[in-house]
Amino acid sequence: MRRNWLGATALALSAATAATGQASHQVEPPAGKVILDVAVDRERPEREIVVLASDTNVFLATKDGGKTWAPLGPGLKRTDLKHVYASPIGWWASLNKGGLMRYQETSAQWVRFGLFYDDSLLDAKNKDAAKHPLSTSKAPQLLASQVNDLTFANNAWFAATSAGVLVSRDRGTSWMPAGKDAFVKQAAQSLDASADGSHIWAIAQRNLLYSADAGAHWSAKELAFASAGNLRVRRLDDSSLLITSNSGRYVSKDAGREWNRADARDLQSQAVVAASATEALPGYEPDARSADGSLSGSAISGAHKPQQ
């Protein structure tokens, strides 16, 4: 799990309430505490979830830009967590052993969520089933693949998993392969999409996968720098992409056809900063030592960094 370090200045946690119907109580500010993971809603950046390296109140969430924070309920152990996500409809988590969990506000607890359907739904004769997968007679399975990345478009959600690129058109309730091509079913470690979901980029093994029609058709291009390792792709705008790796950052200005190595000092634009593996927090500044582009080891205002 990616490690992110924030201090009291970056996260001034104040009073918070638990689930509806529970008594409100104070949450201690994490002065000097370790933040293991963080996710920020792209469309509503005031919505944020953090994971603390503490024995109590491990998961904290804010919906008002940090003015108030609420501890989330039980159901998910920190040791089982791979990564947290801020979706348009709430908080999600991927698990180290595979699968997804969703935080249910009504019951104030984390629950396993997401059913997997095989690619028979992609057959031309099953167009109606693909639109309404839950109405098919074939019994689905609980999603068990390891989820390495999630991105949320307006019309669909996409997941980079150990079983390839998956798509959900019902906000995470059901998942299926995003295409029938063999390379779409290869283990994928990262992906991103345009706001409307029409353009999708994913990294699977040594290839950059791309679809310009919401996943109906895909192409694959081998990345010359794939051996750098830990590749993560982020869309900056309609034509610009960023890939971060263990050995540096690479930028494309033609939707992924050509790539150039970018020096960290050249990546000061707000688009690049916001394209980190987890969306940047207020006060986040790019740190050349964060090779994967995440907040791990980054220079966040007031941050406490561990001794290496």
Side-chain angles (χ1 to χ4, degrees), residues 155-156 158 167 169 178-179 194 196-200 211-218:
N155 300 319
F158 299 92
V167 60
R169 304 191 186 279
S194 58
D196 61 2
S198 60
H199 296 268
I200 313 155
S211 174
D213 52 13
H217 302 89
W218 290 83

Side-chain angles (χ1 to χ4, degrees), residues 149-151 158-160 165 189-193 200-203 233-234:
D149 200 5
L150 282 174
T151 192
F158 299 92
V165 179
Q189 62 261 41
S190 177
L191 82 174
D192 207 351
I200 313 155
W201 297 267
I203 294 178
V233 61
R234 283 296 176 262

Side-chain angles (χ1 to χ4, degrees), residues 164-175:
V165 179
L166 305 182
V167 60
S168 173
R169 304 191 186 279
D170 52 14
R171 295 190 167 191
T173 299
S174 60
W175 296 86

Side-chain angles (χ1 to χ4, degrees), residues 28-302:
E28 287 187 8
K33 291 184 179 179
V34 177
I35 302 295
L36 297 177
D37 203 6
V38 60
V40 180
D41 189 331
R42 287 187 184 182
E43 301 301 321
R44 295 176 290 171
E46 69 275 9
R47 298 179 64 255
E48 180 181 331
I49 180 173
V50 297
V51 184
L52 298 179
S54 61
D55 294 329
T56 59
N57 296 331
V58 174
F59 300 95
L60 298 179
T62 180
K63 298 180 180 180
D64 55 14
K67 295 178 182 178
T68 59
W69 292 78
L72 301 186
L76 175 59
K77 295 179 180 179
R78 187 183 64 224
T79 53
D80 293 335
L81 176 69
K82 182 176 178 65
H83 187 44
V84 288
Y85 298 90
S87 83
I89 62 170
W91 316 118
W92 289 72
S94 57
L95 305 176
N96 286 323
K97 293 184 178 180
L100 291 168
M101 297 193 82
R102 177 184 175 183
Y103 188 72
Q104 292 189 335
E105 299 280 354
T106 53
S107 59
Q109 63 181 342
W110 292 91
V111 296
R112 284 294 301 268
F113 209 82
L115 299 175
F116 177 74
Y117 293 77
D118 63 32
D119 57 7
S120 63
L121 294 176
L122 297 176
D123 293 339
K125 296 180 180 180
N126 286 318
K127 289 183 178 179
D128 291 337
K131 292 180 180 178
H132 306 287
L134 295 180
S135 65
T136 62
S137 59
K138 187 173 182 178
Q141 303 292 322
L142 193 65
L143 180 65
S145 302
Q146 188 172 83
V147 178
N148 300 314
D149 200 5
L150 282 174
T151 192
F152 310 101
N154 294 336
N155 300 319
W157 294 3
F158 299 92
T161 79
S162 56
V165 179
L166 305 182
V167 60
S168 173
R169 304 191 186 279
D170 52 14
R171 295 190 167 191
T173 299
S174 60
W175 296 86
M176 66 187 71
K180 294 183 69 69
D181 300 281
F183 52 76
V184 178
K185 298 180 182 180
Q186 294 178 341
Q189 62 261 41
S190 177
L191 82 174
D192 207 351
S194 58
D196 61 2
S198 60
H199 296 268
I200 313 155
W201 297 267
I203 294 178
Q205 298 186 5
R206 300 181 62 87
N207 297 319
L208 177 68
L209 311 184
Y210 174 59
S211 174
D213 52 13
H217 302 89
W218 290 83
S219 62
K221 175 183 175 62
E222 185 173 359
L223 295 169
F225 50 88
S227 60
N230 197 25
L231 272 58
R232 301 189 63 83
V233 61
R234 283 296 176 262
R235 169 184 174 272
L236 304 181
D237 55 40
D238 291 340
S239 60
S240 300
L241 300 175
L242 168 71
I243 288 182
T244 58
S245 73
N246 285 339
S247 64
R249 299 169 171 86
Y250 299 83
V251 173
S252 172
K253 296 184 179 180
D254 56 8
R257 289 184 288 273
E258 300 293 335
W259 292 88
N260 293 300
R261 180 75 176 266
D263 188 277
R265 289 171 294 185
D266 298 329
L267 300 179
Q268 299 297 321
S269 70
Q270 60 183 14
V272 172
V273 171
S276 57
T278 52
E279 299 302 329
L281 292 175
Y284 166 64
E285 299 173 0
D287 185 340
R289 291 168 291 181
S290 300
D292 68 347
S294 72
L295 294 179
S296 177
S298 300
I300 303 172
S301 297

